[in-house]
Each structure stands twice: as structure tokens, then as C-alpha cells.
Amino acid sequence: MKRIMWKSRVSLLAALWLVLAAAGAAPAVIAKHAMVAAEHPLGADAGVRILKAGGNAVDAAVATGLAVCVANPSSCGIGGGGFMLIYMAQTGRIYALDFRETAPHAVTESTFMRNGKPDEALLRKGPLAVAVPGQVAGFEAALKRFGTMKFSQVAQPAIELARDGFPCGEHLAKEIARTAPLLTQDEGLKSVFLHPDGSPRKEGETITQPELAATLQAFDDHPVETFYHGELAARIADFVKGRGGVLSAEDLASYKSIWRAPLHRGYRGYQVYSMPPPSSGGGMLLEALEILEPGGTPGLGLNSPPYLARLIETMRQIFIDRAIFYGDPEFVRVPIDFLLSPQRIDGIRRKAFQIHPPAAVPEAPRDHGTSHLCVIDRQGNIVSLTTTINTAFGAKLTVPHTGIVLNNEMDDFALAPGIANVYGLRGSGPNSIAPGKRPLSSMTPTIVLKSGSPVLTAGGSGGPTIVTATLQVLLNVLDFHLDAERAIRSPRIHDQYYPAAVFVEDAMPVSVRDALAEMGFQIKAVPMLGDEEAIQITADGYVGAADPRKGGAAVGY
Ligand code: GLY
């Protein structure tokens, strides 16, 4: 992998690089002109290739998004959807694009009932789990409004990866091994990710996806026309319906991505922009920052027990609010102004340390699906993009001979009171299932400005841990002045109120875990919590960082 370091002068960051390198930590990637950070090196390389060919950040983000979903097809793909935040340097404006999947119009209250009871398994795997995909519409909308290249040009790196193959990465190999018994049940998944004898393909083996390459090639410069309206749309709908699902050709034909106003609030002299509903991520992030703001967190010390205790209480509050208030804004009014109002936030701060979690058996929020990427170009345009097919390999269904892995995004709805989704999240009426509605998401693509100029972009993957991981990365940079690489590498915690446990990464020192346990928190150590990508904009250049947790890479020049 090419990493082009900008070393035109000895700088503070370069000195820091040397110190970290000597200590065995991965160096931050610093570049003068442009940077791409993605959860797979081949995705980052694809974006840089497009930037070097004259594309802007939007062109490169679409190229990276397509390529990363070929290289980590368990995380995301054209059978899924997501959210994108775009900063255009010329106007200084930030745009939010919602290309979230949508419930088919034929779903009813009884669709997910079996024997008179809600059956959550139907939302997680198989044809009823599939919501109308949005990625293709979102990518075309972004390119058309702010890109400079045609779809066929930005899709080229992804087409080559799918057609010619690439070495299976560590993350993908783990996901294949973990889900192999389910992959055997789908011809498309089996033929790509398993050997003929049914054993999982391993790290380093070449993975090719010729059918996906042909599908991307067939999009030419008209991906929306091809995916949502043509013969391909009929094939997708026929396949899902043939398996017992309800997604129709009309659902595909009526799908639209939506431009929305980003949410934003001040935090300690910064302006933080993030995703509005139907993602809960932006509102929750801003609420957490508002709760934490007075006095700030720096005085408590990074990852000190008092700091983490404060974070835990804050996390519990934002997840309680998520469950009560958030849903698709086309269907419910999400009271963001009320949630972030100074009076309410004051009240929340006063009751700190009084939120006691419900007694229940803790389940680790386990998800390594979804993918985040950040791009900045020569002009200073920025894209922060998160895309997903939900959990690993989505609904575990591939549309035959297309390479399209279908999402299981229906599981992000609240099926019924008291029934948790795969991440342990509970919800209520605002996120109930309805025809044409978008399920709540945790995706949190974020851009931070200071005095009107960008200083940081970040976001992540990993279900609800996206919100808490992005919060911790922001605090690590803005409050504790870590560079993006160290901010991401730093061990994290996660608490989502339900289930009743504070999840703490194994890398957190045992003394800290013990101190939290002594405070009365129920600690559950887990290997990793989310995956983050970030780019910092500094006087010394762009500092890019991709999370080692999923083996990502930042590439710049
Ligand atoms: N599918 C995970 C999320 O959107 O939060």
C-alpha cells in the first residue's frame, strides 16, 4: 500500500510521528494535498486514484465507497444504504444526504408476526429482512450535485477489484468464518466466499466477484435507471418475492435519496455538524457534547475513571432518548430542539449518576458490519460517508447472478415494545415499522469546524457503538489534543442503557476497569467497540487515520 508522507519540513507532527514510531505505534499519515481514510486499504487506494485523476472529494468518496464494499462485502454494498455529509469549500456549506433503506410498501403489522407473536428473526435474515436499498440512488445523487466525474469513471476501481480479485483481508476472513453456516444457504454467497467443499475462504486467498463486476459495469453512467427501473429491478423484486418477501419493483422505482439539513451545535468553540434523523447518530452525538460541555472533560484526564463515569452517564441518557424520541422525520416529529434545549440539558446534568441500568443479562453489542470513510481533496472539500447492509452479509441473500448482497435493515426498526434488535437496542412508536418508512440508524458522519473552517471529520461503523466511538474520537481530538491516529487507537467504552453493562475494550488498563467496577458499574470486557475513520485538518497538513480494529488505512499525497 502506498502511503505518501508529506515531509517538506520538520514539524511538530513529524516529531510526534518519530516518537510514536519509536514507541511501536502506527504513525499518523500526513499529506499536503488530499487524504482518504477507509476501513480497507484498497478502498482508500481507489479514492486516491480518482483524486489523482482530477476528481474531487465527492468523486473519490463514491469510488472509495464502491471499492470498500467490494473488498469488505460483509460490511456494505449496493444492496444497502447510508448517509453522507458533504462540505463544499467554495461556499463553506455543509449538506446531508440520506440514502437510508426504506420499508417496502406492502409491510403490515402482521408481516413480522408468527403464531400471534412478533418474530424478530424475520427482521434479521431472509427475504422479509430486506428494505429497499438506497446506496445506488445516494451515490448518483451526490455525484450529480457535487461530483465532477461520471459514474463509470468512479466505479472503475471497484469493477477491477471485483473482476480481477483481491487478497481476502483479516476482517473479511473472520466474518466469513463466523457466518459460514449461513453463507452455505445462499448460492451467491457460497460461490464467492466458501470453497467448493463448503469451508470458508481464508485470509490471503483471492476473492473474485465477477457477477458484481458485471452489475457495476452494466450501470455505465445510469446507475439509478439500471438499478431501480430496469430489468435488474424486476430481478431483485422477483427474487425477494419468490423467497417469500414483499419488496416490489414499485418499491424500487419509487425510492428516492433525500437532501436534509445537517444538525449542528457549538462545543467549546467548535461547530459540530452531523447527521439528522432518520439517523439518531447526529442528535445523540450533539446531546452528549451538550451534556459534557460545561467545564469540559479535559480536567478529568483521558480515560480516567471519573471521566469514564461521566461518559457512561451521558451515554445512558442519549440512548434512553434515542429509544423514546427518534424515528423517521417523514413519519414522526423528532423534537431535536427540545432534546438539545439548554433547560433540558441543565436538568440532565443535575441528575448525573442517578441513571441506574435495568437488571438484565448483558449481551455484547456485536457487529462488525457497516463501513465509514472520510475524504478531503485539494480544494478542501470534505466527504464523511457511512454505508451499510446492516449486520455481516445483511439478509444473507444474494440476488442470483448479480453479486448484489441484500441488506437486513428492517431489523433497525423497533418491532414491538420490549423487543430488542440485534444490537440490544429497544425502541418505541417513533421507530415502529410502517410502509415506506426508514428505520432509525446510528450512523454518525461528522464534520467539525472552528471559526467556519473545517478542523476534523470522523465517523464509524459498528451499530450503536458508532455513536459512542465517534463521541470518544471527537473528545480525544478536541479536548485531549490527540492526533487523529491516537484518538482512534485509544481504548473505548460503550454503554447503551440496555443491556445492563458497561462494555470496555480489552485494551483499557485493568486498573481503570477495576476502578469503574468499584464505583458500581457492571463491566464487560470486549475485544473491540466500533471502527472509526477520521481526517484532521492542521497547519501541517491533513492527518489521516483509519482504525486498526478493522484493518483500515489512510492514504494521502
Ligand atoms: N444498521 C446499523 C445502523 O444503521 O445503525
Side-chain angles (χ1 to χ4, degrees):
M1 183 196 57
K2 267 184 309 188
R3 291 187 181 192
I4 303 157
M5 306 293 294
W6 180 45
K7 290 190 197 166
S8 62
R9 63 194 170 96
V10 177
S11 66
L12 275 177
L13 284 164
L16 178 64
W17 183 91
L18 289 172
V19 171
L20 286 170
V29 179
I30 308 169
K32 187 176 179 183
H33 301 300
M35 180 71 70
V36 183
E39 73 164 43
H40 197 291
L42 292 170
D45 284 345
V48 167
R49 176 170 150 191
I50 292 299
L51 288 167
K52 285 189 170 171
N56 69 8
V58 175
D59 301 316
V62 173
T64 303
L66 291 168
V68 100
C69 297
V70 170
N72 272 348
S74 53
S75 292
C76 57
I78 56 176
F83 298 96
M84 195 181 312
L85 218 54
I86 301 174
Y87 168 83
M88 294 307 290
Q90 205 173 18
T91 58
R93 290 191 60 185
I94 297 182
Y95 304 83
L97 180 59
D98 161 7
F99 51 101
R100 181 69 161 162
E101 299 93 326
T102 302
H105 284 90
V107 294
T108 65
E109 283 186 355
S110 61
T111 304
F112 302 96
M113 304 287 279
R114 289 295 176 266
N115 304 319
K117 284 201 248 152
D119 183 352
E120 57 265 48
L122 297 172
L123 297 160
R124 299 194 185 155
K125 179 181 168 299
L128 290 172
V130 183
V132 188
Q135 198 197 70
V136 175
F139 281 11
E140 182 173 303
L143 267 188
K144 278 201 161 153
R145 184 159 180 193
F146 294 117
T148 66
M149 288 181 165
K150 297 213 175 285
F151 186 87
S152 57
Q153 207 173 346
V154 300
Q156 197 52 36
I159 292 169
E160 288 169 19
L161 275 181
R163 184 191 61 209
D164 304 337
F166 58 92
C168 180
E170 183 186 350
H171 171 73
L172 178 57
K174 278 188 191 156
E175 293 296 73
I176 295 171
R178 191 165 70 81
T179 55
L182 299 174
L183 303 184
T184 55
Q185 297 167 24
D186 176 83
E187 275 311 313
L189 293 169
K190 192 163 85 172
S191 67
V192 172
F193 302 110
L194 304 179
H195 294 120
D197 69 359
S199 60
R201 292 195 184 275
K202 296 212 162 47
E203 185 180 350
E205 286 188 52
T206 300
I207 302 271
T208 54
Q209 297 165 81
E211 293 175 338
L212 178 60
T215 299
L216 291 171
Q217 187 94 50
F219 283 174
D220 194 24
D221 291 327
H222 311 286
V224 166
E225 189 56 33
T226 313
F227 187 88
Y228 293 96
H229 300 280
E231 188 244 343
L232 181 57
R235 275 167 69 189
I236 296 170
D238 285 351
F239 170 68
V240 176
K241 279 199 164 171
R243 290 297 181 96
V246 292
L247 186 143
S248 68
E250 293 72 37
D251 286 321
L252 288 159
S254 61
Y255 183 86
K256 297 261 179 305
S257 60
I258 302 172
W259 291 99
R260 300 189 182 277
L263 300 180
H264 61 99
R265 286 293 186 279
Y267 177 71
R268 290 168 48 83
Y270 298 95
Q271 298 86 46
V272 182
Y273 285 74
S274 197
M275 205 66 211
S279 183
S280 62
M284 291 170 72
L285 176 75
L286 296 179
E287 184 181 347
L289 292 172
E290 294 275 348
I291 295 169
L292 294 167
E293 179 161 13
T297 54
L300 298 174
L302 174 61
N303 286 347
S304 67
Y307 166 71
L308 294 176
R310 205 157 168 222
L311 275 189
I312 292 164
E313 291 293 318
T314 303
M315 289 174 184
R316 286 180 184 167
Q317 180 66 50
I318 62 176
F319 275 97
I320 290 170
D321 290 339
R322 180 196 205 272
I324 297 172
F325 294 106
Y326 282 84
D328 180 347
E330 309 297 320
F331 286 72
V332 293
R333 197 181 79 78
V334 185
I336 294 289
D337 286 341
F338 161 72
L339 290 169
L340 303 182
S341 65
Q343 272 167 319
R344 182 169 186 276
I345 297 289
D346 267 358
I348 291 169
R349 286 183 200 129
R350 274 198 295 274
K351 68 175 184 175
F353 295 102
Q354 286 174 22
I355 302 174
H356 299 296
V361 182
E363 270 290 317
R366 181 188 172 82
D367 173 53
H368 304 134
T370 308
S371 185
H372 184 79
L373 63 97
C374 307
V375 182
I376 185 162
D377 66 19
R378 258 178 199 276
Q379 288 74 41
N381 303 312
I382 296 172
V383 177
S384 190
L385 188 168
T386 318
T387 186
T388 189
I389 50 173
N390 201 14
T391 56
F393 298 105
K396 320 287 186 292
L397 289 177
T398 316
V399 182
H401 312 302
T402 66
I404 300 171
V405 181
L406 294 166
N407 69 82
N408 60 343
E409 221 67 59
M410 291 300 291
D411 189 54
D412 274 340
F413 280 114
L415 177 56
I419 295 194
N421 78 353
V422 73
Y423 308 110
L425 292 170
R426 297 175 192 216
S428 55
N431 190 33
S432 61
I433 297 173
K437 192 173 176 183
R438 297 184 178 198
L440 207 50
S441 172
S442 300
M443 292 186 257
T444 315
T446 298
I447 297 174
V448 182
L449 311 184
K450 182 145 198 178
S451 308
S453 297
V455 293
L456 177 69
T457 177
S461 61
T465 65
I466 296 172
V467 186
T468 53
T470 304
L471 171 67
Q472 287 167 92
V473 168
L474 255 62
L475 294 171
N476 290 352
V477 173
L478 305 181
D479 282 3
F480 295 105
H481 307 294
L482 302 188
D483 72 28
E485 198 278 333
R486 290 168 71 217
I488 283 177
R489 188 174 288 266
S490 176
R492 300 194 274 257
I493 63 162
H494 172 79
D495 192 308
Q496 59 184 51
Y497 187 62
Y498 284 107
V502 181
F503 297 98
V504 181
E505 286 188 325
D506 290 332
M508 189 70 78
V510 173
S511 58
V512 174
R513 284 190 249 162
D514 289 348
L516 289 174
E518 270 174 36
M519 286 175 173
F521 293 115
Q522 190 181 336
I523 303 300
K524 181 154 174 73
V526 290
M528 64 183 265
L529 289 166
D531 178 276
E532 287 282 310
E533 278 68 41
I535 300 173
Q536 235 177 315
I537 298 95
T538 74
D540 294 300
Y542 300 145
V543 183
D547 209 320
R549 291 166 179 81
K550 258 171 112 172
V555 184
Y557 65 95

